[in-house]
Amino acid sequence: MDLNGKHIVLGLSGGIACYKAAELCRALIKEGATVQVVMTEAAAQFITPVTLQALSNRTVYGSQWDAREPNNMAHINLSREADAILIAPASADFMAKLLHGRADDLLSLMCLARPIDTVPLLIAPAMNREMWAHPATQRNMAQLKADGTHLLGVGNGEQACGETGDGRMLEPQELLQDVIAFFQPKVLAGHHVLVSAGPTFEAIDPVRGITNLSSGKMGFAIARAAQEAGAAVTLVAGPVALATPRGVKRINVVSALDMMDACVSQADQATVFIATAAVADWRPDTAAHEKIKKDGSGLVPQLGFVENPDILATLAQSPRAATGDLFCVGFAAESHDLLAHATAKRARKNVPLLVGNIGPSTFGQDDNALLLVDANGAREIPRNSKLALARLLVADIAKRVARQSA
Ligand code: CTP
């Protein structure tokens, strides 16, 4: 659970998006957090404290005059316990209040009284599109950011008022991902990570082709972990139906040649390339423009193959890799003799780090085990979820990149 041990004060200001805060409260708790809800008077018009008390398993606070606290200082006590204060929804009015340091109710009082260096303030705005676009709101938002508030974005789409545009609150699952990411160490801040992932599909004709069993899950987990670690991430993905990790730029490709073009053009900005894709080694030498039909003779079509370019080896030989500006990491999916194959493959592809795994036991699964092979030998990262492995791998790569540029 990604929020184990974290104590979050979830603040609700007034807005119809309060209904989503109930789901968010539950999602935070399911990830291991403890949640203390604080509501403004306006928020309580949209959702009752009873609902949030039941979901958080704690009584909800709403007033600075709450006599439950022996010292009658709920704003101090609640903010001192928190690992973060998350305001969701943050109304336009509440943002304006925060900006001016006003403190005329418990929630704003608590935000102002929080120890600014140790208790981060995250806000998830929610409002009508005109209110969001208004220069006053945009100005407030810019100043809140400058004051150190961590601004979670807004969604775009249909709004409760019937209008369509920017300003709706992000969905609870999106906010959850952003809160989890917020707590990850920013070991790749300032870096641009390029990840290739998934299988490729090599067309035989318009309806058939050759592909493989790669699910793309490991590559997508690495893209997410790199984004959480503060990097700008571009994910070049073969045909898989996985959701794009939050904040990651995704480029969909089909064939190995498409993947090669996309990776080469994106590599100019990248400082790290992680090649997790299971690129088809060969493609049919000609793809038929029309579906190949049976002609009744019983004869089968004769397919010829040509070798695909090696994307990893190409980028590992590029001038930027040679000068240490692009750190290349390869993957090896093997069926046996992992250490020997991975060691040989690292040398053949000329990469500083190669990550081996046993393909058939990991394809499509949610967990895996990794063998990290470098010039000095090998180290195993034992079986774990792909996301946990991805975070450990990203931390390892960050150390190597830092050593290289030191
Ligand atoms: N790779 C690549 N382009 C290719 C083939 C592989 O970028 N055309 C990358 C993969 O993304 C992976 C690494 O090279 O990071 C190793 O891929 P793998 O398929 O295991 O190795 P191959 O080079 O195909 O070697 P072999 O078929 O002998 O196992």
Side-chain angles (χ1 to χ4, degrees):
M1 292 197 292
D2 288 331
L3 294 176
N4 254 341
K6 298 284 184 228
H7 182 65
I8 313 250
V9 170
L10 176 61
L12 279 67
S13 59
I16 186 59
C18 279
Y19 82 94
K20 293 188 191 172
E23 189 73 44
L24 175 62
C25 176
R26 196 171 152 71
L28 292 167
I29 288 171
K30 273 174 120 175
E31 269 316 320
T34 48
V35 177
Q36 174 62 58
V37 177
V38 178
M39 296 169 74
T40 64
E41 222 179 292
Q45 295 288 328
F46 291 92
I47 187 168
T48 71
V50 175
T51 303
L52 287 145
Q53 177 176 346
L55 290 172
S56 64
N57 202 22
R58 282 170 180 253
T59 54
V60 170
Y61 282 77
S63 158
Q64 71 266 44
W65 313 121
D66 195 319
R68 271 174 294 178
E69 296 295 304
N71 61 357
N72 217 300
M73 294 188 199
H75 62 298
I76 301 289
N77 304 346
L78 298 182
S79 64
R80 296 315 181 260
E81 290 166 0
D83 289 298
I85 298 175
L86 167 62
I87 309 292
S91 66
D93 181 56
F94 195 75
M95 285 171 64
K97 245 172 145 170
L98 280 179
L99 173 82
H100 288 287
R102 291 190 54 197
D104 61 352
D105 65 3
L106 177 60
L107 192 55
S108 54
L109 183 59
M110 196 185 61
C111 291
L112 191 67
R114 81 188 203 281
I116 199 163
D117 294 329
T118 52
V119 182
L121 176 63
L122 286 69
I123 66 172
M127 65 200 73
N128 163 270
R129 66 187 174 108
E130 299 291 0
M131 293 167 77
W132 174 250
H134 196 284
T137 304
Q138 293 298 314
R139 197 168 54 231
N140 292 349
M141 192 177 65
Q143 187 56 48
L144 283 171
K145 270 194 202 167
D147 291 348
T149 304
H150 187 81
L151 208 84
L152 305 168
V154 292
N156 174 283
E158 214 173 287
Q159 304 196 309
C161 53
E163 298 179 2
T164 302
D166 285 339
R168 45 181 286 169
M169 190 167 86
L170 293 173
E171 296 305 316
Q173 281 304 319
E174 294 174 319
L175 289 172
L176 177 69
Q177 301 305 316
D178 289 352
V179 172
I180 291 170
F182 177 81
F183 284 115
Q184 294 298 318
K186 302 297 170 223
V187 289
L188 283 178
H191 282 278
H192 189 146
V193 176
L194 175 64
V195 181
S196 72
T200 62
F201 178 90
E202 311 298 327
I204 294 172
D205 68 19
V207 297
R208 303 184 183 91
I210 294 170
T211 186
N212 60 63
L213 289 174
S214 168
S215 64
K217 285 182 180 173
M218 192 68 222
F220 275 59
I222 287 171
R224 173 173 168 184
Q227 195 274 341
E228 289 176 345
V233 180
T234 303
L235 173 63
V236 176
V240 289
L242 298 174
T244 309
R246 288 209 28 87
V248 166
K249 173 177 150 191
R250 176 176 181 168
I251 300 175
N252 284 327
V253 295
V254 176
S255 68
L257 290 179
D258 297 341
M259 187 174 272
M260 175 79 169
D261 285 349
C263 287
V264 168
S265 73
Q266 296 298 314
D268 282 348
Q269 295 96 52
T271 53
V272 178
F273 174 48
I274 309 175
T276 72
V279 185
D281 289 316
W282 306 282
R283 66 179 184 277
D285 51 9
T286 48
H289 291 299
E290 290 174 358
K291 185 181 172 191
I292 303 170
K293 305 289 285 180
K294 290 195 289 290
D295 63 7
S297 68
L299 292 172
V300 295
Q302 300 299 305
L303 295 179
F305 289 92
V306 288
E307 195 170 319
N308 274 323
D310 190 317
I311 304 166
L312 176 61
T314 304
L315 290 184
Q317 281 159 17
S318 66
R320 291 188 63 245
T323 53
D325 294 323
L326 178 65
F327 186 86
C328 292
V329 181
F331 262 69
E334 306 294 343
S335 60
H336 59 287
D337 291 341
L338 182 57
L339 178 60
H341 284 301
T343 305
K345 203 165 275 184
R346 191 189 80 81
R348 196 167 72 242
K349 306 253 178 178
N350 191 27
V351 287
L353 177 65
L354 191 118
V355 183
N357 57 171
I358 295 292
S361 71
T362 180
F363 281 166
Q365 305 291 313
D366 289 324
D367 62 356
N368 195 1
L370 303 178
L371 187 71
L372 273 54
V373 180
D374 65 15
N376 301 317
R379 173 170 86 89
E380 196 189 329
I381 309 186
R383 186 156 285 279
N384 209 327
S385 74
K386 287 185 175 175
L387 182 57
L389 292 175
R391 287 184 182 138
L392 292 169
L393 179 62
V394 159
D396 182 282
I397 291 171
K399 278 194 203 136
R400 291 170 194 269
V401 172
R403 269 204 302 272
Q404 184 168 286
S405 52

